[in-house]
Amino acid sequence: MADRRSQLVTRVRGMLGEALGATRTRLSTAQAELTTARERLTKVRRAAAVVPERVGAQRDRRLAEIADRHAARIAELARRAADAAQREAPGAASTDWTRWRSTPTRRAEPPGALRIGTVRIPGAEPVPALVPLLDAGHVELTGDDREGCDAVVSALLLRGVGRADPGAVRLVGYDPEHLGGGLAGFAPLGTAGLLTFVGPGGLARLLDDLVEQIRRINETVLAGEYGSLRELAAATGRRPEPWRVAVLLGGDELSRHERGQLDRVVRTGAACGVHLVVRGVSLPEDPTVTRVGAHADGARIGGPTGLPVRLDPPPPPALVTETCREVAARVNAGPAPTPFTDLLPPPEQMWREDSATGLTAPIGEGPHGRPVLLTLGDYPPHALIGGPSGTGKTNLIFAWIGALAARYSPSELEFYLLDFKEGVSFARFAKGRRDPSWLPHMRLVGINVNTDREFGLALLRFLAEELRRRADAAKKHEVTKLAELRAVDPTGHWPRIVAVVDEFQMLLAGRDVVAREAADLLEDLARRGRSQGIHLVLASQDVRGIEALWGRPALVAQFTLRIALPKALRILAERNDAAQSLPRHHAVVNAESGMAEGNQVARIPSASDWETWSELQHRLWRMRPQDAAPARLFDGDAIPRLADAPDHRALTAPETGHPRAPVALLGEIIDVQARSAALRLPRAPGRNLAVLGTRVDEACAVLDAAARSLARQHRPGTARFSIACLDPDADPAARSLYEDLADDAAWYDEETVGELMVEAAEGLATPGTPHYLLLFAVDAAAGALATRIGRRTGLEELRRILHDGPERRTHVLAWWRGVARMRADLGGPAARTDQIGAWVALDAHGGELGSSLYPGTGGPDWYPRPWRGLFFDRAVHRTGQVIIPYGPAR
């Protein structure tokens, strides 16, 4: 029992010891954990103490980053807003007053919004505060800050005037309180009609006028095609109407009628360029109305809760006055011409028009922005252009020619151009040294023909012959009009012809044969040319006193298309004075014979400067047909050369024998074609030539050209040229000819000329080789030829040669320095002159030639002028031909 107890005790003690050991172990572990926890608690408490400081720093850093990003974003948005404002209101529309100046835009472009102040953004540059006005809406000013309102009015008006094209903004002021004093700085605009004032009681009339302008623009300008002038300008590049800004500064309570008209202007005005800037007058609620409130505590755009702005100070008074004076001066000087390209079709549409029924092309822009068209056809068939020097007549002709040439190909249209005034502006249509291109439609260009009226007559003769040719073709095909002829004869060449004669009164001046025949031809061409597609365009600075034209009412009546430039006289009908008030670069176009009801005003583009025209001409030149030839250029101041003459280049020598009728070329005929005056020398009586006059160079030139052209028709050694020079002044030219003819020529002087006569006379008995006697100043050898050599004197031998020589291939080409001297050498005043079959008169007057040399009585109608001669061949001519002697060969 005791043992079990002891065992139990021992076991209990063991168990208690184990429990005590385990407890002590757990206690130790718990104490260690407690220590660790306390240490962790200490760390946590220590860390917890640090967290608020770190979180605060992080929070502050994040807030700073957000603030920086916000400020940068605000600055970027402000910069973008400033850039957008600059694009919307460039130049004068938004520049501050310290750097402000006028920066006009193109008329078709709206000036955009206008600055009245700035929007202040903290931390960013101020942004311009813009107000939409022109082509956008209306502005109403409210508030107790009178000076601020006045500053807004001045800023809007000056910026609008300075940004728009001069004259494109017109102001109307209604200021019953200060009687216009609020707009006094803009008074210089009144001198150009850009500013008008309406006095007290005139508001109703002002609003009525604005409503009428809106109605007119909607009906005649927009005409249902466009919704607004801004849309029209964007589509066409033209703005036909100015902006009209009515400034209403207070007044009495509006009547019912005035309120109704004001409401109409607000609703419909912006689309038609009619705008209101008002103070003291309430405008109705409308999207086009912008309200600016100016109060002592600040200004806002858009009402009491709108955008706060800081208003700009008013523009300096000197700046306002100076700007308005400059604008008025430019407007008074007249509007600038429109671009020439406005008249031209797109490149891909050039030469697409058909001229069968007529020619139609724009000449400029009308008051409503629509092109003014000129037509030449059955009606109107011909045109008359008038305007004083400097009003743009040549420019108008250039513009018209360019507009037509761009639309009609050379197979549809041909030009013949003649300029009687001194100048070479039309020479650019022909091939030149400076520019090898030419206008493919141009067939003839005559310049510097002020002394060569015969060239104008030659053109009319050429057109009359072409009219006859077309009329014959029409009869053959049993038709009457060009359109019908082209329809039945599509393979024929029947383009319309436009002949332009500038300063045409020179052709009709005087009462001589040239004027009478020219007037007759003009009347016939004007009457019958319309049906055959031949159209005349006559231009003049002033047509007063042209009896040959105005004395023929039937002729004038054919020119139903009249174009009057500023201050033109007697182009329009007697009581039609529309041209007297025209500005520069404008013309009155009238297709009703000048009657006032037919008036159209056109703004003519600038077309006559070299660069503008050259671009079009080069484009058309590159489009020319392969067989196109340059126009014939006749320059009255130029001396032609024999080597360049087509007739001279065509001369050749026969392979055997002699030419049947050699041709002596004497000079260039004043004619449409570049033909040579040719004297045929067959074996027939009288085939000799006399050159009459005292001009050495011209006489030598005629004989030189004759000899060289004859030599070209003979093979070397088959013809003889005997050159006798009896005037020392002619020696250089005669020597040059002698040297060039080489072995075929023989030289004689005063001492040996008698021997030449005897030798030539004796040679008549046995004719063989053609023999040409070239006698320079033969009358100077009168003494030597009076001496007998054998049975006869030299003069008697000369007369024998003249009489019998041509039938034996011996021809005399002689220069006498006077008609009387020639008669003396031929046997005296009563001597026969029929052995002189042809002559060229230089400075010999027509009356000197008499009936023995020229058919009829009194001699030819010939008045000498430098480097011109009158050629008459009794075997060919009815009247003389005016020629230009060919220039020296060397």
Side-chain angles (χ1 to χ4, degrees):
M1 195 65 184
D3 291 338
R4 287 187 69 173
R5 186 177 295 162
S6 298
Q7 290 176 349
L8 290 171
V9 169
T10 302
R11 183 181 295 178
V12 169
R13 288 179 176 172
M15 293 174 64
L16 290 173
E18 291 176 359
L20 180 61
T23 301
R24 288 176 177 171
T25 300
R26 286 197 295 271
L27 177 61
S28 176
T29 300
Q31 288 178 340
E33 291 177 353
L34 177 61
T35 302
T36 300
R38 286 175 177 172
E39 291 176 353
R40 188 183 304 114
L41 177 61
T42 301
K43 290 179 180 179
V44 170
R45 286 176 176 173
R46 190 181 301 119
V50 175
V51 165
E53 181 179 353
R54 187 173 67 247
V55 170
Q58 184 69 17
R59 179 198 61 199
D60 294 342
R61 185 168 61 253
R62 292 293 296 166
L63 289 175
E65 290 176 357
I66 293 172
D68 290 343
R69 286 200 301 270
H70 178 70
R73 181 62 176 167
I74 291 296
E76 174 64 17
L77 292 175
R79 185 187 64 79
R80 291 184 180 181
D83 291 344
Q86 182 62 31
R87 290 191 300 271
E88 179 66 18
S94 64
T95 305
D96 61 81
W97 301 126
T98 58
R99 298 178 291 115
W100 193 90
R101 62 183 179 85
S102 294
T103 56
T105 185
R106 291 183 62 247
R107 186 178 179 86
E109 298 175 0
L114 305 174
R115 168 176 163 170
I116 63 170
T118 56
V119 177
R120 297 291 179 174
I121 301 176
E125 292 293 326
V127 176
L130 306 180
V131 171
L133 181 64
L134 303 183
D135 274 346
H138 316 279
V139 177
E140 179 184 348
L141 301 169
T142 60
D144 53 13
D145 186 357
R146 180 66 174 270
E147 294 182 357
C149 291
D150 291 343
V152 171
V153 172
S154 298
L156 289 175
L157 299 185
L158 183 60
R159 292 187 186 280
V161 169
R163 183 58 184 156
D165 193 54
V169 174
R170 297 181 183 178
L171 308 179
V172 182
Y174 176 69
D175 187 8
E177 296 181 9
H178 296 84
L179 300 179
L183 302 177
F186 295 88
L189 294 175
T191 62
L194 302 179
L195 172 63
T196 56
F197 288 99
V198 176
L203 180 59
R205 292 193 304 275
L206 168 59
L207 294 174
D208 289 345
D209 180 68
L210 295 179
V211 170
E212 176 59 23
Q213 293 291 351
I214 295 170
R215 183 202 62 76
R216 178 186 61 81
I217 292 171
N218 277 321
E219 290 185 4
T220 64
V221 181
L222 300 179
E225 290 188 60
Y226 303 98
S228 67
L229 288 176
R230 183 168 190 166
E231 181 182 335
L232 183 152
T236 65
R238 302 183 182 91
R239 185 181 181 87
E241 292 286 333
W243 288 279
R244 295 174 172 87
V245 180
V247 184
L248 313 182
L249 303 179
D252 298 331
E253 184 69 24
L254 301 184
S255 67
R256 181 177 180 181
H257 173 75
E258 291 170 343
R259 174 57 63 185
Q261 295 292 67
L262 185 68
D263 291 351
R264 294 184 179 93
V265 173
V266 170
R267 291 196 315 272
T268 62
C272 298
V274 177
H275 307 280
L276 300 172
V277 176
V278 304
R279 188 194 68 217
V281 177
S282 62
L283 298 182
E285 292 294 331
D286 193 272
T288 61
V289 176
T290 300
R291 290 178 168 79
V292 179
H295 303 274
D297 58 349
R300 290 180 179 272
I301 297 177
T305 60
L307 179 69
V309 298
R310 182 175 180 179
L311 298 178
D312 286 336
L319 181 62
V320 176
T321 303
E322 180 181 355
T323 301
C324 292
R325 284 175 179 168
E326 291 177 357
V327 171
R330 293 186 61 180
V331 172
N332 287 328
T338 57
F340 177 51
T341 52
D342 289 354
L343 298 185
L344 306 181
E348 64 275 8
Q349 296 182 15
M350 289 185 175
W351 290 6
R352 297 289 184 86
E353 301 292 332
D354 188 324
S355 67
T357 58
L359 300 165
T360 300
I363 192 61
E365 177 185 284
H368 299 152
R370 301 179 184 277
V372 175
L373 301 179
L374 291 183
T375 296
L376 290 175
D378 289 346
Y379 189 90
H382 312 292
L384 196 61
I385 302 173
S389 178
T391 55
K393 177 163 53 65
T394 300
N395 179 75
L396 184 145
I397 293 173
F398 270 75
W400 196 1
I401 290 175
L404 286 171
R407 286 168 171 77
Y408 299 93
S409 70
S411 63
E412 298 287 335
L413 169 64
E414 290 182 351
F415 286 110
Y416 293 80
L417 196 61
L418 193 59
D419 187 0
F420 271 101
K421 67 177 182 297
E422 295 183 5
V424 295
S425 56
F426 292 154
R428 69 186 63 181
F429 297 120
K431 184 177 180 180
R433 292 187 301 272
R434 178 181 176 184
D435 186 353
S437 71
W438 69 86
L439 188 64
H441 309 70
M442 198 64 61
R443 306 313 317 139
L444 173 71
V445 177
I447 60 175
N448 292 320
V449 293
N450 51 309
T451 60
D452 290 316
R453 296 163 61 230
E454 295 84 1
F455 189 79
L457 185 58
L459 171 60
L460 296 181
R461 289 171 177 167
F462 173 84
L463 295 176
E465 178 62 25
E466 176 64 18
L467 176 60
R468 184 199 61 78
R469 187 179 74 89
R470 295 184 175 209
D472 290 346
K475 290 179 182 178
K476 176 182 176 181
H477 292 282
E478 299 181 347
V479 295
T480 58
K481 296 182 179 181
L482 181 69
E484 298 170 345
L485 177 60
R486 290 178 55 158
V488 298
D489 184 21
T491 60
H493 182 63
W494 308 113
R496 286 194 179 265
I497 292 175
V498 176
V500 182
V501 183
D502 196 6
E503 300 304 336
F504 72 96
Q505 74 276 5
M506 297 290 294
L507 179 60
L508 303 175
R511 298 177 179 272
D512 57 6
V513 174
V514 174
R516 289 193 295 272
E517 184 178 357
D520 290 339
L521 288 171
L522 271 176
E523 185 168 352
D524 184 58
L525 286 168
R527 180 171 51 85
R528 299 195 298 131
R530 69 168 71 205
S531 60
Q532 302 303 333
I534 298 178
H535 308 284
L536 301 174
V537 177
L538 305 184
S540 174
Q541 292 184 13
D542 189 357
V543 296
R544 288 182 300 180
I546 304 176
E547 298 175 3
L549 178 63
W550 292 108
R552 294 173 177 257
L555 170 59
V556 178
Q558 301 298 327
F559 290 81
T560 53
L561 176 58
R562 311 286 178 86
I563 305 174
L565 293 158
K567 303 299 186 293
L569 299 174
R570 298 198 67 187
I571 295 295
L572 304 176
E574 183 176 355
R575 296 185 179 181
N576 187 353
D577 60 353
Q580 304 308 307
S581 58
L582 276 181
R584 292 177 60 204
H585 312 300
H586 285 68
V588 175
V589 176
N590 188 301
E592 302 296 334
S593 299
M595 302 302 292
E597 55 269 21
N599 286 350
Q600 293 186 79
V601 177
R603 187 181 180 191
I604 310 301
S606 176
S608 58
D609 63 276
W610 179 270
E611 291 76 12
T612 299
W613 182 262
S614 180
E615 182 178 350
L616 173 64
Q617 179 161 304
H618 276 82
R619 179 184 294 277
L620 300 181
W621 181 64
R622 291 190 294 268
M623 296 168 58
R624 71 190 186 280
Q626 292 183 351
D627 59 348
R632 148 94 156 123
L633 175 63
F634 175 83
D635 185 351
D637 286 348
I639 299 176
R641 294 176 59 85
L642 178 65
D644 299 331
D647 290 335
H648 180 259
R649 292 197 297 266
L651 295 177
T652 57
E655 295 182 0
T656 60
H658 307 296
R660 295 187 59 184
V663 176
L665 304 183
L666 310 177
E668 183 179 283
I669 302 172
I670 295 184
D671 198 4
V672 172
Q673 290 100 359
R675 297 182 301 158
S676 299
L679 170 63
R680 305 192 73 82
L681 299 177
R683 299 180 64 177
R687 294 290 83 195
N688 301 300
L689 173 71
V691 181
L692 306 171
T694 61
R695 293 182 179 142
V696 178
D697 292 341
E698 297 168 29
C700 291
V702 173
L703 293 181
D704 182 88
R708 293 179 186 277
S709 57
L710 287 169
R712 190 176 176 89
Q713 300 165 70
H714 296 279
R715 290 173 289 106
T718 62
R720 297 169 56 202
F721 294 87
S722 296
I723 302 173
C725 183
L726 307 168
D727 185 345
D729 292 338
D731 190 82
R735 286 283 181 184
S736 174
L737 175 62
Y738 169 67
E739 292 171 1
D740 289 347
L741 294 179
D743 296 337
D744 292 335
W747 180 264
Y748 299 87
D749 55 21
E750 188 174 358
E751 295 180 358
T752 58
V753 67
E755 299 175 4
L756 169 62
M757 297 303 154
V758 174
E759 177 188 347
E762 292 176 349
L764 297 179
T766 56
T769 301
H771 188 189
Y772 303 103
L773 280 68
L774 299 158
L775 309 180
F776 290 77
V778 63
D779 56 288
L785 294 178
T787 304
R788 287 187 177 274
I789 303 177
R791 292 179 299 174
R792 295 185 178 90
T793 65
L795 282 177
E796 291 173 339
E797 298 289 13
L798 174 60
R799 295 165 192 163
R800 180 185 172 195
I801 297 168
L802 289 169
H803 188 273
D804 300 331
E807 295 180 83
R808 293 168 173 79
R809 294 198 181 97
T810 299
H811 305 274
V812 176
L813 295 87
W815 163 35
W816 279 275
R817 293 175 297 179
V819 178
R821 286 175 176 251
M822 182 191 71
R823 291 184 186 278
D825 288 347
L826 295 181
R832 294 175 60 88
T833 58
D834 53 354
Q835 65 267 43
I836 303 296
W839 47 261
V840 174
L842 300 174
D843 56 350
H845 285 264
E848 299 179 53
L849 299 170
S851 58
S852 61
L853 291 172
Y854 195 80
T857 59
D861 219 351
W862 167 246
Y863 301 95
R865 50 191 187 269
W867 212 261
R868 296 293 186 271
L870 182 67
F871 170 50
F872 179 76
D873 184 345
R874 68 173 71 237
V876 177
H877 297 148
R878 294 175 55 195
T879 59
Q881 288 183 327
V882 180
I883 68 171
I884 307 174
Y886 288 114
R890 293 185 179 180

